[in-house]
Amino acid sequence: MVNPTAAMLVIGDEILSGRTRDANMHYLAGELAKHGIDLKEVRIVSDDEAAIITAVKALAGAYDHVFTSGGIGPTHDDITADCIAKAFGAHLDVRDDARAILQAHYDTQGLEMNEARLRMARIPDGAELIDNPVSAAPGFTLGNVHVMAGVPMIFQAMVASVIPKLTGGQPMLSQTLRVMRGEGEIAGPLRLLAEGYEDLSVGCYPFQKDGVFGANVVIRGTDGARIDAAMTELAKELEQ
Amino acid sequence: MVNPTAAMLVIGDEILSGRTRDANMHYLAGELAKHGIDLKEVRIVSDDEAAIITAVKALAGAYDHVFTSGGIGPTHDDITADCIAKAFGAHLDVRDDARAILQAHYDTQGLEMNEARLRMARIPDGAELIDNPVSAAPGFTLGNVHVMAGVPMIFQAMVASVIPKLTGGQPMLSQTLRVMRGEGEIAGPLRLLAEGYEDLSVGCYPFQKDGVFGANVVIRGTDGARIDAAMTELAKELEQ
């Protein structure tokens, strides 16, 4: 069985300008790995209609799922819903189900439903709403694209509600061996190991700490017994 | 004058698997902003030849500069140099200048130049070396693509040596106003401001702290006086 594939599209000038460090990608990557969905590609684009539409079309055509973050709030720079609708040729307008959710939330909070807030009830025809337990304004799934908020707390809540509904695969398992030798010393054995275990991914991630070179060797795959076997072989090889 | 544009390509399974949180993008974004080069897009792909080549070609064709991070070490999963050479149709082999740099470094460290380490002297024909003051193994610039290491300390040193050589533009300036009101309250005035200052970018980034909704309004542009004017207008408007 081959795991489903996914891509992520991060939308936001604030990431590309260096103002904000994205936190959502790392979170999504971890959640997808647990659910057996392979994250294959991430793109980050600015709040620009053409850039968003181009990226959504490319990713939705290439992968089983696309997860977007950012650009679904009430302000003028929140254009994600418009772009997704255009990418799919879907009609976009205020939808009664989304409006009712927002109205109930604002009533509770004693806030007025103004024009800006109503923008967040604009949902493409045919999309399914994604629950937002933090601030009510829903995300949505249209086709294979899951449109979520950029604020990390809301993004995470939306991921938690979307992922369990998706068909997963075999969770990606991994083991790490921390080696206090430079990559150049262990590259030979690692290559042989990778060739002997083509069903696994053998990665080597160097670090330098207090002037000493070391590397984390990470063996990844879906078969725990195979990872055990490879790791045992590696540990024995590097012991010599 | 229009600022030069740039894209970044992060290469690494360890980011997509959720194991490692990328740190290089945020650093590069900040450095480019200071130098007046506009970072327009970031892509993250796995250690996969086809994925890397496709992304490099797309980005190198669309932007003035492409910065890559990751995949230039001595192990079997370090395939970036091969992919960049293929993308440009350039010949790749051990180059004497790179080999001499590595040999001098290993001589000093009392390390042996083995086959794995020699891999790091493989540089495409026509490429210019990028200095690596941390661990010697150079990066390189081929065409408009700057190929750099993934280890943050080395990546940062390489960025510091590459960026001053590039023609920059007007540094992107910004001012932030922290507003302790929900986005939905200030969206109207923000839209009017954005319409009145089309040469500036007006972004609104909500947050929630201790149950209170707030937003950072960020006004960005290259003309400091215009930003001052817009910020003054905004502060006055929101005061009412």
Side-chain angles (χ1 to χ4, degrees), chain B residues 46-68:
Chain B
S46 66
D47 304 328
D48 174 81
E49 185 178 290
I52 297 170
I53 293 176
T54 302
V56 163
K57 283 184 172 174
L59 297 174
Y63 303 102
D64 295 323
H65 295 284
V66 179
F67 299 85
T68 79

Side-chain angles (χ1 to χ4, degrees), chain A residues 150-223:
Chain A
V151 177
M153 193 195 297
I154 306 176
F155 180 82
Q156 293 177 18
M158 289 182 169
V159 167
S161 96
V162 168
I163 289 192
K165 294 178 189 164
L166 305 179
T167 303
Q170 294 180 279
M172 191 56 68
L173 307 173
S174 71
Q175 287 187 34
T176 302
L177 184 67
R178 189 179 163 91
V179 183
M180 291 312 295
R181 281 193 253 169
E183 274 196 299
E185 305 262 321
I186 61 175
L190 285 185
R191 176 183 292 276
L192 290 176
L193 189 80
E195 285 166 5
Y197 290 85
E198 291 197 334
D199 53 325
L200 303 178
S201 134
V202 180
C204 185
Y205 309 109
F207 59 82
Q208 194 184 10
K209 202 174 174 188
D210 305 327
V212 179
F213 289 98
N216 286 306
V217 179
V218 180
I219 303 182
R220 274 188 291 263
T222 53
D223 182 338

